[in-house]
Amino acid sequence: MIKQFLLSFLILPSCIAIGQELKVATNFESGSARVLSLDQQTQTIRITPAGDPKRGIPNWWYVRIDGINTTIPLVLEVEVREDLIPDELTGQGKKTSPGWTWPAQAALSLDGKTWKQTAEGQKINNRMVYQVQPATGTLWLAWGPPFTPTDALNFVNRISQTYSFAKAFILGRSLEGRQVPALQIAEGSKPADQRPAIWISARHHAWECGGSWVGTGLAEWLVSDNQQARWLRQHAEIFVVPLLDVDHVATGDGGKHGEPQDHNLDWSDQPHWPEVAAAQKRILALANEGRMNIFLDLHNPAPGNKQQTAYVIEKAYMPEKADPRKLRFVDLMIEEFGGLKQNPARPPAENPALFHRVSVPWVLEHSNSNTIAFCIETPWNTPSGTPEGYGIVGQKLGSAVEKLLREEAEKQP
């Protein structure tokens, strides 16, 4: 009897390990994957993004994995989708380059809230392979650190409840009925009509999660005890929209190149997306007050771009008094980042009308004579593509904004 009991005790741990059932879940906000195969013994899971190509480039993936045996590595293999996506310049379909689906390092979380990066993946045949030594029986893996509509709502509520000079508001509701949370920050008794307005917008493209983290990093800096941040919120009024394309983020779709056009190409007199129309309405009101000063649209670039980047609108397409301010802000960004990749922006020869449907040109065409606007792209395919790394970018952008406005204020009689 004793011998049988001891034998049972000795074999029990291996029975538990073998008996676990490895499962993949995506039934949560921003979750996206189609499981192609799952090997219980080797803990190898092969997936591909599950996004609908009509709702944008299908490169985003995000899974929770349960039932993990912590005594052996977990292997996640990611295959690329072969769907054609529209090319707005030519009107033809094109395939997505594999690099858009394969970050060098994936995002990893043990609680679905705090994110770090995996070791670098390995390209093997037609897939990228990430190997993780699991510390728990459940973990989350994603293309990048997710930032969901719920995260956006929680963020603006937390900031507004903590700081009396910050106000949370709902910019509008999306086509599918979701709220678009935003922040308004202004401290002190200076009248609103004497404050230049700064508009910070992130996630015109759903998959570009880094934009949200840059925007929230800027907002966190703005409400901090930093002297520059204090000066800025006391002299300006700042609006932060941490996530514009709430629908495609919520459903785990890519957003970019979505039908009938993505949010960044929807800035016309009759936008398809209600959240774009809501942003336009606010910006036009600020312009009518003569206060629309700086617009920053926060994005992530192509996978091979490792530099902080700004699209710089050519002088011919800038408002009358804006070009010197634009050039000075570029210099200030160079100071902050130690360099800056500058992409000249002008109407493309293939489809010039497309230029005027992009967020930044639209803002410049509908604002004040001194308004400046930039599309800012922060690299994601680097070791700094983390919430902390993105947050530092937000702080530096905030510093550049403050320096420009303070310089201009000090020159006034």
Side-chain angles (χ1 to χ4, degrees):
M1 188 72 173
I2 294 176
K3 182 178 180 181
Q4 184 178 2
F5 172 78
L6 290 174
L7 182 60
S8 299
F9 181 79
L10 289 172
I11 67 172
L12 185 59
S14 63
C15 287
I16 292 175
I18 293 172
Q20 293 183 103
E21 184 179 359
L22 198 63
K23 294 182 179 180
V24 180
T26 59
N27 57 342
F28 48 84
E29 199 173 35
S30 289
S32 178
R34 187 164 65 233
V35 178
L36 303 177
S37 65
L38 190 156
D39 188 316
Q40 294 280 351
Q41 290 190 338
T42 63
Q43 287 202 139
T44 300
I45 302 168
R46 186 178 304 172
I47 66 168
T48 192
D52 181 351
K54 293 182 179 180
R55 294 173 65 87
I57 173 176
N59 65 324
W60 172 263
W61 48 270
Y62 176 20
V63 297
R64 186 186 74 238
I65 303 172
D66 301 304
I68 301 171
N69 177 359
T70 59
T71 65
I72 62 173
L74 175 75
V75 180
L76 183 70
E77 301 179 348
V78 181
E79 288 193 6
V80 175
R81 292 274 294 274
E82 296 293 329
D83 307 83
L84 294 179
I85 58 172
D87 183 339
E88 289 85 1
L89 288 176
T90 65
Q92 303 298 315
K94 63 179 180 180
K95 286 187 178 181
T96 303
S97 172
W100 294 84
T101 304
W102 291 341
Q105 297 169 273
L108 168 68
S109 177
L110 302 182
D111 58 7
K113 299 176 182 178
T114 305
W115 295 90
K116 61 180 183 178
Q117 289 181 325
T118 66
E120 286 197 12
Q122 290 186 309
K123 295 178 185 177
I124 300 176
N125 298 323
N126 65 335
R127 63 190 72 107
M128 179 70 86
V129 180
Y130 305 95
Q131 183 167 298
V132 177
Q133 186 58 56
T136 62
T138 295
L139 56 79
W140 289 255
L141 285 164
W143 177 95
F147 188 93
T148 69
T150 298
D151 293 328
L153 185 62
N154 290 341
F155 176 79
V156 302
N157 287 339
R158 175 175 64 81
I159 294 296
S160 65
Q161 291 165 9
T162 306
Y163 303 95
S164 60
F165 50 79
K167 176 184 176 183
F169 68 98
I170 299 302
L171 176 65
R173 285 190 176 272
S174 69
L175 202 62
E176 297 172 5
R178 296 181 177 88
Q179 293 181 331
V180 183
L183 271 177
Q184 177 184 5
I185 300 173
E187 183 180 24
S189 58
K190 188 173 184 177
D193 61 6
Q194 297 178 23
R195 293 175 181 262
I198 317 300
W199 191 276
I200 313 294
S201 182
R203 300 291 280 285
H204 274 75
H205 296 143
W207 69 273
E208 297 172 16
C209 59
S212 290
W213 293 109
V214 172
T216 54
L218 194 159
E220 293 274 16
W221 172 85
L222 189 59
V223 300
S224 73
D225 291 331
N226 180 280
Q227 291 185 356
Q228 285 183 272
R230 186 180 297 116
W231 186 95
L232 184 57
R233 66 179 184 252
Q234 290 175 347
H235 290 81
E237 185 175 28
I238 305 96
F239 300 86
V240 181
V241 183
L243 199 171
L244 190 69
D245 184 5
V246 290
D247 286 344
H248 295 124
V249 171
T251 57
D253 291 292
K256 184 179 176 70
H257 301 302
E259 296 181 359
Q261 64 269 337
D262 64 39
H263 287 60
N264 200 45
L265 293 173
D266 196 44
W267 288 65
S268 66
D269 292 335
Q270 294 182 316
H272 173 77
W273 305 104
E275 51 270 41
V276 171
Q280 289 178 326
K281 183 178 179 180
R282 288 262 184 170
I283 290 168
L284 286 172
L286 295 170
N288 289 336
E289 296 168 3
R291 299 198 295 129
M292 189 59 216
N293 196 275
I294 299 175
F295 175 84
L296 300 180
D297 186 5
L298 306 177
H299 288 252
N300 287 130
N305 186 352
K306 311 294 185 180
Q307 293 180 275
Q308 190 65 38
T309 299
Y311 280 82
V312 183
I313 301 288
E314 293 189 350
K315 183 177 181 179
Y317 306 99
M318 293 293 297
E320 178 186 0
K321 300 178 182 178
D323 203 61
R325 298 188 73 228
K326 174 197 75 178
L327 296 175
R328 179 57 184 150
F329 190 68
V330 168
D331 288 341
L332 291 169
M333 285 193 287
I334 291 172
E335 290 179 13
E336 291 291 335
F337 294 108
L340 184 74
K341 182 181 179 182
Q342 300 177 50
N343 289 337
R346 58 184 177 272
E350 302 94 329
N351 189 349
L354 203 62
F355 178 79
H356 304 284
R357 288 167 37 203
V358 175
S359 61
V360 168
W362 186 94
V363 169
L364 293 175
E365 292 164 5
H366 292 80
S367 293
N368 305 121
S369 61
N370 67 335
T371 305
I372 59 174
F374 292 86
C375 170
I376 304 293
E377 293 192 334
T378 301
W380 55 272
N381 208 14
T382 73
S384 298
T386 62
E388 294 76 18
Y390 289 132
I392 292 171
V393 172
Q395 295 170 23
K396 291 181 177 180
L397 285 174
S399 177
V401 169
E402 187 273 345
K403 288 177 180 178
L404 178 66
L405 295 189
R406 191 193 285 252
E407 284 180 3
E408 294 174 340
E410 291 175 349
K411 290 179 182 177
Q412 294 178 356

